[in-house]
Amino acid sequence: MQEQVIARSSTHQGGKGYSYNPLAQPFLKWAGGKRQLVPAIKKYIPRKYTQYHEPFVGAGAVLFSLQPARSIINDTNQELINCYEVIRDHPDELLSLCVNHEKNNSKEYYYKLRSQDRHDKFQELSPIERAARIIYLNKTCFNGLFRVNSQGQFNVPYGDYVNPTIADPAIVNAVSAFLNQRSVKICRGDFSEAVSTAKKGSFVYFDPPYHPISDTSSFTGYSMDGFGSHEQERLKLLCDNLSDRGCQVLISNSNAPLIRELYSDFRYEIVEVKASRAINSVGAKRGKVGELLIYNKYECKSI
């Protein structure tokens, strides 16, 4: 379809009591992260919105690029959401543990920390210890993947990087300030629950696990719960419901036939964009790939 630009939003950057901080940015590497696609995504963000919802927040590239005044963020990945909560509430303690991990970084140390979730004592770790562990594993594992097996155990091999930075204090403190000084509600649950309170004038950005474009391209290790065709169909029906409520909706997904078919009705516009994907276990599959941005066509004028 022909590209139709809605507007580049600047309405919710900064504001009373808070200044937009470019250092508030993703603190993790993330498969499917949207950092390099943010300029394209911003073209399809409404001029005005009352509240921002991101049910699949991931590393938060879009969230941090907007820094909205009011937002609800969510993810089913419990370790990820724990990181957001710890950065909000205990940034200094987290940074201290990350410095210790950085000093001790080695292949042997990596596998020692990785193995913790294979033992019962893992449940005894504090939220701060768990957050520091997952940030360390993320920054030192192969290709920055977050992948767990069917038992929910982190299973990515060591990446063998030279002097990796585990946690940048400037970024962690900026993210903590954003989470504390703006109205950010952090949830952990199903994507439908995360938008249950969305009202007319809200803006919802969905970045779900992408539908595979081939039988061999699916990435299912992000969490123990799969995200198959049924979930994609459920998401589409939810987008219809949000549209009926008067919400602005934007969805990122793969350029798969199923996705094009689901959003082929009159409500939506589909735009293809090219994204660079550096995180893939197969080197030949990294590089520019076609992805879809899908948005509902009408804007809510009376906010």
Side-chain angles (χ1 to χ4, degrees), residues 56 207-212 219 222-223 225-227 232 235 252-254:
F56 304 91
D207 184 25
Y210 279 17
H211 192 70
F219 177 76
Y222 169 75
S223 70
D225 304 318
F227 202 90
Q232 297 288 357
L235 174 57
S252 295
N253 215 315
S254 66

Side-chain angles (χ1 to χ4, degrees), residues 98-294:
C98 287
V99 167
N100 183 65
H101 289 329
E102 190 170 310
K103 288 179 179 178
N104 289 285
N105 179 43
S106 67
K107 188 173 184 178
E108 180 182 8
Y109 186 77
Y110 173 89
Y111 283 109
K112 178 181 178 182
L113 259 66
R114 198 189 78 163
S115 70
Q116 287 180 330
D117 60 10
R118 274 81 171 161
H119 307 290
D120 292 339
K121 286 189 175 181
F122 180 66
Q123 302 303 322
E124 299 176 9
L125 295 180
S126 71
I128 301 171
E129 290 171 328
R130 289 175 71 140
R133 170 184 175 269
I134 210 65
I135 291 172
Y136 167 73
L137 294 178
N138 175 262
K139 294 299 180 68
T140 55
C141 72
F142 175 72
N143 213 26
L145 286 171
F146 187 104
R147 187 183 66 202
V148 295
N149 60 22
S150 59
Q151 285 76 47
Q153 300 163 344
F154 195 91
N155 66 350
V156 185
Y158 185 59
D160 202 21
Y161 301 114
V162 178
N163 299 322
T165 298
I166 307 305
D168 186 325
I171 292 175
V172 169
N173 286 318
V175 170
S176 183
F178 164 68
L179 294 174
N180 279 286
Q181 295 174 27
R182 314 249 61 181
S183 176
V184 184
K185 182 179 179 181
I186 303 173
C187 305
R188 51 178 86 199
D190 186 76
F191 62 87
S192 63
E193 296 174 4
V195 297
S196 61
T197 61
K199 297 179 176 63
K200 181 178 181 179
S202 294
F203 170 51
V204 185
Y205 173 57
F206 289 107
D207 184 25
Y210 279 17
H211 192 70
I213 56 176
S214 69
D215 293 338
T216 59
S217 64
S218 180
F219 177 76
T220 58
Y222 169 75
S223 70
M224 290 183 290
D225 304 318
F227 202 90
S229 299
H230 174 72
E231 286 73 22
Q232 297 288 357
E233 292 165 1
R234 189 162 66 92
L235 174 57
K236 193 315 184 140
L237 292 175
L238 180 60
C239 290
D240 291 348
N241 179 271
L242 289 167
S243 296
D244 291 341
R245 291 189 228 169
C247 299
Q248 295 297 291
V249 176
L250 177 65
I251 310 107
S252 295
N253 215 315
S254 66
N255 190 9
L258 173 67
I259 302 305
R260 283 191 173 273
E261 180 181 355
L262 281 175
Y263 295 93
S264 62
D265 64 62
F266 68 95
R267 297 173 185 264
Y268 302 97
E269 194 77 29
I270 301 176
V271 178
E272 184 175 351
V273 294
K274 294 293 184 181
S276 296
R277 290 292 167 222
I279 296 180
N280 194 302
S281 59
V282 181
K285 294 185 179 180
R286 301 174 199 155
K288 292 282 187 180
V289 294
E291 299 186 6
L292 301 182
L293 292 176
I294 305 158

